[in-house]
């Protein structure tokens, strides 16, 4: 299956909801004030925020008025262009090497699985990878990560359950430097974004990376479950405040009909989507492409 086919399949539920509603709207064959009100409602129902939906509709209305166009194909094209512009308001994340990537997020979003997929992704780019099992809180977290590391055939550094996560990070970085490793991926414990002491732990790990690898490219990626919808923006705001996020990894897109929140995320918070998960397998992770994403949901 090609990359675009994977993305299209993952976004099937979002596309069915959004595209189906747009088809009904265009079937009325009348593009006027009522049309734009309904278009805004459709966008909001796909979990695009009210603010972003209003901006999108206003841009389309202004452009259509300027060109005196009421053709639905023209308006559809405009919608695609405006949505893509919103997705690319945040600068695209370019991973440079050597790279240290720390994955953060709340419980149950798929961080550990994403570590394995990311490791496999970088291996496909001919890069050497070490993973750090810095989730020392959750029972058997290191064991679960070991399974993914073995599947991806990469090295893993881990300590006993209950150890200091920053000590795991330190040892992983020390090992990676000794072996000239291209990429270190750090798995962290899931934490509620309202728990201040857990957010401080992330800051501590960040300081270890910055102190031990000052010349490395350090990226903090937030893992977001697509089924969270618009609430994901609140999570992103708090994690961004704590560690200054560099990008987003979207998981479980295939389980959600509300992938539209991604557009608000990129537009309002200026945080780019770096990768999206397209399934359960090791190679079901793709670098994010705004144009492909829009084509897949419309």
């Amino acid at each position: 299956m090609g990359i675009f086919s994977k993305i299209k399949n993952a976004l099937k539920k979002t596309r069915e909801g959004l595209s189906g509603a747009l088809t009904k709207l265009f079937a009325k064959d009348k593009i006027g004030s009522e049309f734009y009100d309904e278009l805004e409602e459709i966008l909001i129902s796909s979990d695009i925020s009210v603010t972003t939906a209003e901006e999108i509709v206003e841009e389309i209305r202004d452009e259509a008025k300027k060109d005196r166009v009421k053709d639905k194909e023209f308006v559809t094209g405009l919608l695609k262009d405006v949505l893509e512009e919103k997705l690319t308001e945040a600068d695209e994340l370019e991973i440079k090497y050597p790279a240290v990537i720390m994955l953060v997020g709340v419980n149950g979003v798929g961080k550990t699985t994403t570590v394995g997929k990311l490791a496999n992704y970088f291996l496909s780019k001919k890069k050497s990878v070490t993973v750090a099992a810095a989730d020392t809180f959750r029972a058997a977290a290191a064991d679960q990560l070991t399974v993914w590391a073995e599947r991806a055939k990469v090295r893993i550094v881990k300590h006993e359950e209950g150890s200091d996560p920053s000590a795991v990070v330190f040892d992983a970085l020390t090992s990676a430097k000794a072996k000239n490793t291209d990429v270190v991926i750090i798995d962290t414990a899931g934490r509620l974004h309202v728990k201040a002491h857990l957010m401080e732990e992330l800051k501590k790990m960040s300081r270890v990376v910055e102190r031990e690898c000052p010349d490395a490219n350090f990226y903090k990626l937030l893992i977001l479950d697509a089924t969270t919808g618009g609430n994901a923006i609140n999570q992103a705001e708090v994690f961004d405040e704590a560690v200054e996020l560099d990008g987003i990894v979207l998981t479980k897109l295939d389980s959600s009909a509300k992938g539209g929140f991604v557009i608000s995320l990129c537009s309002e918070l200026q945080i780019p989507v770096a990768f999206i998960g397209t399934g359960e397998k090791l190679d079901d992770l793709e670098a994010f492409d705004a144009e492909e994403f829009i084509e897949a949901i419309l």
Side-chain angles (χ1 to χ4, degrees):
M1 184 185 292
I3 291 175
F4 183 68
S5 296
K6 280 188 173 185
I7 294 170
K8 198 169 182 180
N9 282 343
L11 288 162
K12 184 179 178 183
K13 288 186 178 179
T14 298
R15 184 174 65 255
E16 285 174 350
L18 183 56
S19 189
L22 287 173
T23 298
K24 288 179 183 176
L25 177 58
F26 283 124
K28 295 179 181 179
D29 210 26
K30 185 180 179 182
I31 298 177
S33 59
E34 190 176 319
F35 169 88
Y36 291 112
D37 289 343
E38 287 190 46
L39 176 59
E40 187 177 310
E41 288 175 17
I42 289 168
L43 295 176
I44 293 169
S45 71
S46 295
D47 255 30
I48 294 174
S49 73
V50 173
T51 300
T52 302
E54 287 176 348
E55 289 176 1
I56 291 167
V57 170
E58 198 58 39
E59 285 183 46
I60 293 170
R61 194 201 314 258
D62 289 348
E63 193 65 34
K65 275 184 180 177
K66 186 174 75 176
D67 294 332
R68 297 183 179 180
V69 173
K70 293 191 175 182
D71 176 76
K72 59 187 178 185
E73 270 126 31
F74 180 85
V75 174
T76 304
L78 270 180
L79 177 60
K80 286 184 178 181
D81 290 343
V82 173
L83 290 178
E84 191 176 330
E85 281 173 17
K86 293 292 180 188
L87 276 179
T88 53
E89 282 186 20
D91 291 336
E92 183 181 344
L93 181 64
E94 181 184 356
I95 304 289
K96 296 180 180 178
Y97 308 96
V100 179
I101 301 171
M102 184 168 76
L103 304 186
V104 303
V106 300
N107 294 300
V109 292
K111 282 188 303 301
T112 302
T113 303
T114 301
V115 172
K117 291 179 178 181
L118 274 174
N120 184 69
Y121 174 86
F122 288 114
L123 284 179
S124 74
K125 304 292 182 186
K126 310 299 181 188
K127 302 299 178 184
S128 54
V129 179
T130 293
V131 300
D135 179 357
T136 59
F137 177 74
R138 184 167 57 90
D143 293 341
Q144 184 186 357
L145 186 60
T146 299
V147 171
W148 280 100
E150 288 174 351
R151 286 182 191 171
K153 297 182 174 60
V154 296
R155 295 175 58 250
I156 181 170
V157 175
K158 56 185 177 180
H159 287 190
E160 292 181 358
E161 187 181 320
S163 301
D164 181 359
S166 293
V168 180
V169 172
F170 176 85
D171 285 354
L173 296 175
T174 301
S175 173
K177 285 189 289 185
K179 295 179 181 293
N180 292 317
T181 305
D182 297 312
V183 183
V184 176
I185 306 173
I186 303 168
D187 186 24
T188 65
R191 60 204 68 225
L192 292 170
H193 51 296
V194 295
K195 296 287 186 181
H197 68 287
L198 293 177
M199 301 306 277
E200 286 301 319
E201 189 177 75
L202 286 182
K203 293 178 186 179
K204 183 182 175 184
M205 285 186 267
S206 294
R207 289 195 294 271
V208 170
V209 174
E210 289 160 358
R211 185 188 70 225
E212 297 302 320
C213 296
D215 297 325
N217 300 284
F218 185 25
Y219 304 99
K220 283 86 70 179
L221 302 184
L222 175 65
I223 312 301
L224 283 178
D225 179 341
T227 62
T228 308
N231 290 332
I233 294 177
N234 297 330
Q235 291 178 24
E237 285 176 331
V238 179
F239 279 98
D240 188 38
E241 186 178 335
V243 297
E244 294 184 12
L245 296 170
D246 296 288
I248 304 289
V249 181
L250 288 174
T251 63
K252 308 179 186 178
L253 270 174
D254 52 331
S255 302
S256 175
K258 299 198 171 185
F261 80 89
V262 181
I263 295 158
S264 305
L265 194 69
C266 293
S267 176
E268 294 175 30
L269 300 186
Q270 300 289 295
I271 303 171
V273 177
F275 298 95
I276 59 174
T278 56
E280 301 293 325
K281 297 176 184 174
L282 191 63
D283 61 351
D284 286 338
L285 184 85
E286 309 294 344
F288 183 75
D289 183 289
E291 185 178 353
E292 284 185 353
F293 186 90
I294 297 304
E295 287 292 336
I297 65 172
L298 287 179

